[in-house]
Every structure is written in structure tokens, then in C-alpha cells.
Amino acid sequence: MPVRLNITMDEVLYRRLRDACPPKGISRFISDAVRARLHPDRAALEAGYKAAARETWRHELAEAWEATEVEDWPP
């Protein structure tokens, strides 16, 4: 549920924000920036890990590096 809030920021920063965002896009931009700055929650992390596990290129890359994971390296 969206919550309305009142914030204060430097006028120059506000102008840059207004110029960078489409009309009616400032709230979305600020929400995305705050979400990115805060640590993701457990559900978001798990969803990301599951999505990464389905990517075939990651498995191929892991297989390519498997040869470097040798336990008996010279001392």
C-alpha cells in the first residue's frame, strides 16, 4: 500500500531529479533508489538465487572453472 510522505532536498538536486525523470516518475525513481540502497529482504534474495540457478550460462561457466578447483595443489 503506497504511503505519501513529505521530504526535503536541495533545490539543485531536485531540478536534476525532475530533469532526469519523466512526468509522474519521481516517486517511482525515489522508491527504486531507496529499495536499492536498503538490504534486500529474504524473499527477494531467494527469488534472485532461484532465477540465477535456472540460467544455463552459469552452469557452463562453473564447469569451465571446475578444472581449477584441484585439492592437491603443490604446497
Side-chain angles (χ1 to χ4, degrees), residues 57-70 73:
W57 69 269
R58 292 183 185 276
H59 298 289
E60 293 166 2
L61 185 63
E63 289 172 4
W65 280 94
E66 211 170 74
T68 64
E69 296 175 2
V70 180
W73 282 88

Side-chain angles (χ1 to χ4, degrees), residues 29-51:
F29 183 89
I30 292 173
S31 292
D32 290 346
V34 170
R35 188 174 292 111
R37 181 70 168 101
L38 297 177
H39 297 290
D41 62 5
R42 185 173 192 86
L45 285 174
E46 287 181 15
Y49 289 140
K50 287 179 182 178

Side-chain angles (χ1 to χ4, degrees), residues 9-30:
M9 71 173 57
D10 183 271
E11 187 176 345
V12 174
L13 181 61
Y14 173 70
R15 275 191 253 126
R16 288 180 58 199
L17 178 63
R18 189 187 61 213
D19 292 343
C21 294
K24 305 288 183 179
I26 292 177
S27 291
R28 173 70 181 252
F29 183 89
I30 292 173

